[in-house]
Amino acid sequence: GDNGQVVRSTDWGENWEYLSTLFSYKFSLYYCFTMGDSTVIATRGGGGGGVPSYNVIQSDDRGETWYLSGEYPGTVESIFYNNDSNGFYCGTDFWYTHGNSLWETDNGGSNWDKIELGSPGFNPQKVEFKDEQIGYVGGPSDEPYGFLLFKTEDGGATWNPLDHELFNAFDSFEDWALFNDSSFILVGEFFQNNDYSRYLISEDHGISWRMDTLYFAPNDFKEVHFINQDTGLLLGYHKICRTVDGGQNWYQVAFNYTYGIDDNMAFTFVNESAGYLSIRTTYQSPISGIFKTIDAGETWLEVECPATSKFNSFGFFDENEGVVVGDKGMIFKTTSGAMVNMPEWNTDEAKA
C-alpha cells in the first residue's frame, strides 16, 4: 500500500501480516518475474536529493522477506535473466544523459556493464532471449525515427541490427512476443488512422516482416502474449483478441469491463490455461481491476482487488503461489491463486 507497506496473507485474505517497508511512497514497482525460488522486482526508481536510487529488490523465499538487490545504474524498463548469473536490462542512467541503454551482468546483478550498440538515437525498451545464445533488444529511435531491433546469436557478445522499412510505420512501440520457434509479433501505435488494428509479424526469426490488419477491432494493440505455439492474445483499448492457430486468424473475445482497457496493464500466464490480467483505467478516476482466466483467455472474470493503487506486474511460482507489485511500493502475495472472494465461474456470465 502507501509508503511502501508490504503485507501478507496465508488464509485467503482473512488475516494479513505486516512484513516491512522497503520504499517510500515515491517508488513504484513496475516489473516482476520469478526465477527458480527467487523473485526479482524492478522499479522505475524514485526518491531525489541527487542520490541514485536502488531499482531492484529481491526475495529468495517466495516473498516472505525482501532485500535491495544491488544498485542499478538507472531506471529499469525491461529485464531478462538467462540464468542466475547472466542477465540484461534496458534502462536509463540515473542522470538521464543518454536516454535508454542496454546493460549486462555476469554476477547476478552486483555489477552492470553498458553495451554500445552504435545507434545514438536508439532507446532500447525491451530485451528478451529465446535461449542463452539468441536474444533481441528493441525500442524507439530518434535517428532514424521509428523502431530499431537488434539480434544476438552469441549470448550478447555481439548485436546486429535487423532493418525493415515497416519499422518506420511505428509511431510508438509497445510490446513483442516470440513464439513457434521462428515467429515474432510486434505491436504498438502505427501511423495511419485508427479505424482498425495492425501488427507486424515475422515468420523467419525477424528477417522479413509483413503488416497484418484486423478490420473488426479499432485502434492498435498495447501487449501481445503467446501461451504456446498456437494460442496467443492481443490486448488493446476496449478489446482482447485471441488466436488458436499461431496468429493466422484472430477473433475478439467478450470482455465485460465497464471502462475498457487503458494503456496500463499487466498480463501473465502460470500455465496453458490459467492467467491474470491487471488493468487501470483513468476514465473519470483511476480504477484498478484484476481478471483471471482458466480457459486460456477465452473468458475472463474479475478477482477482488486488495488495494486501490495500480497493479503493474505479476510473478507466479505455480498456479496458486505468486506476488503482484504496483504503485507506491505495493507488494501483495497470494497462496490461493488470487481466488479471494472469486465469483462462481459462470461461462454465460463471462461471455455476456
Side-chain angles (χ1 to χ4, degrees):
D2 287 351
N3 302 315
Q5 296 179 85
V6 183
V7 296
R8 179 173 181 264
S9 173
T10 58
D11 55 7
W12 289 46
E14 293 294 330
N15 298 282
W16 293 90
E17 173 190 3
Y18 176 79
L19 295 182
S20 64
T21 299
L22 290 172
F23 294 111
S24 75
Y25 70 92
K26 296 180 181 180
F27 288 84
S28 291
L29 303 173
Y30 279 84
Y31 186 79
C32 172
F33 70 95
T34 58
M35 188 170 59
D37 284 335
S38 65
T39 300
V40 178
I41 299 173
T43 84
R44 290 179 184 265
V51 179
S53 60
Y54 289 89
N55 285 279
V56 171
I57 61 172
Q58 182 169 331
S59 170
D60 294 323
D61 53 13
R62 297 197 168 207
E64 297 279 350
T65 58
W66 300 86
Y67 60 91
L68 295 168
S69 177
E71 185 173 349
Y72 284 55
T75 60
V76 178
E77 291 271 358
S78 171
I79 187 168
F80 190 93
Y81 273 83
N82 280 319
N83 50 53
D84 290 342
S85 300
N86 181 248
F88 297 81
Y89 90 85
C90 302
T92 63
D93 59 31
F94 179 69
W95 303 109
Y96 302 96
T97 53
H98 303 292
N100 282 11
S101 300
L102 179 65
W103 306 78
E104 181 181 8
T105 181
D106 286 316
N107 54 17
S110 297
N111 301 100
W112 293 88
D113 296 317
K114 186 176 179 180
I115 298 175
E116 299 293 344
L117 295 172
S119 297
F122 178 46
N123 287 288
Q125 188 171 318
K126 181 169 181 176
V127 58
E128 182 177 2
F129 274 69
K130 180 180 175 182
D131 53 45
E132 290 198 10
Q133 296 301 311
I134 299 176
Y136 300 86
V137 60
S141 172
D142 297 327
E143 301 174 14
Y145 188 80
F147 172 79
L148 289 182
L149 182 66
F150 289 80
K151 180 180 181 180
T152 180
E153 296 180 306
D154 54 16
T158 59
W159 294 84
N160 298 305
L162 298 176
D163 297 323
H164 199 280
E165 61 181 8
L166 284 175
F167 292 168
N168 297 326
F170 270 113
D171 186 17
S172 64
F173 162 75
E174 296 291 344
D175 193 22
W176 73 49
L178 307 173
F179 66 102
N180 244 1
D181 187 50
S182 60
S183 297
F184 205 141
I185 283 183
L186 294 171
V187 298
E189 296 290 331
F190 293 92
F191 293 111
Q192 303 172 15
N193 64 68
N194 287 326
D195 292 337
Y196 39 79
S197 302
R198 293 137 298 181
Y199 59 88
L200 299 184
I201 183 168
S202 171
E203 296 174 327
D204 55 9
H205 306 280
I207 298 174
S208 61
W209 294 84
R210 72 175 188 270
M211 180 180 287
D212 283 355
T213 302
L214 304 182
Y215 292 98
F216 58 82
N219 300 299
D220 291 318
F221 296 102
K222 298 294 184 181
E223 188 162 339
V224 55
H225 180 82
F226 269 76
I227 304 166
N228 53 42
Q229 64 179 5
D230 296 317
T231 306
L233 296 168
L234 288 166
L235 305 179
Y237 183 65
H238 283 293
K239 62 180 179 290
I240 299 176
C241 296
R242 186 171 185 262
T243 181
V244 292
D245 57 9
Q248 298 302 309
N249 297 281
W250 296 85
Y251 62 94
Q252 191 166 349
V253 303
F255 185 70
N256 187 20
Y257 190 58
T258 305
Y259 301 112
I261 300 177
D262 201 8
D263 294 346
N264 303 304
M265 60 184 71
F267 183 63
T268 190
F269 270 77
V270 298
N271 56 36
E272 292 196 358
S273 299
Y276 297 87
L277 173 63
S278 172
I279 297 173
R280 184 197 187 190
T281 177
T282 55
Y283 178 78
Q284 294 182 340
S285 61
I287 298 173
S288 285
I290 301 177
F291 298 82
K292 183 171 184 176
T293 178
I294 57 173
D295 55 11
E298 181 67 29
T299 56
W300 297 85
L301 282 179
E302 191 166 6
V303 179
E304 180 181 338
C305 227
T308 56
S309 294
K310 186 185 75 171
F311 287 168
N312 292 319
S313 184
F314 298 90
F316 274 84
F317 300 99
D318 53 44
E319 288 187 47
N320 295 316
E321 189 171 2
V323 295
V324 59
V325 303
D327 285 357
K328 300 180 180 178
M330 179 182 64
I331 304 175
F332 279 90
K333 178 174 179 178
T334 178
T335 56
S336 59
M339 298 291 283
V340 179
N341 292 338
M342 184 72 178
E344 182 178 351
W345 200 263
N346 186 313
T347 303
D348 293 334
E349 177 185 347
K351 294 181 177 181

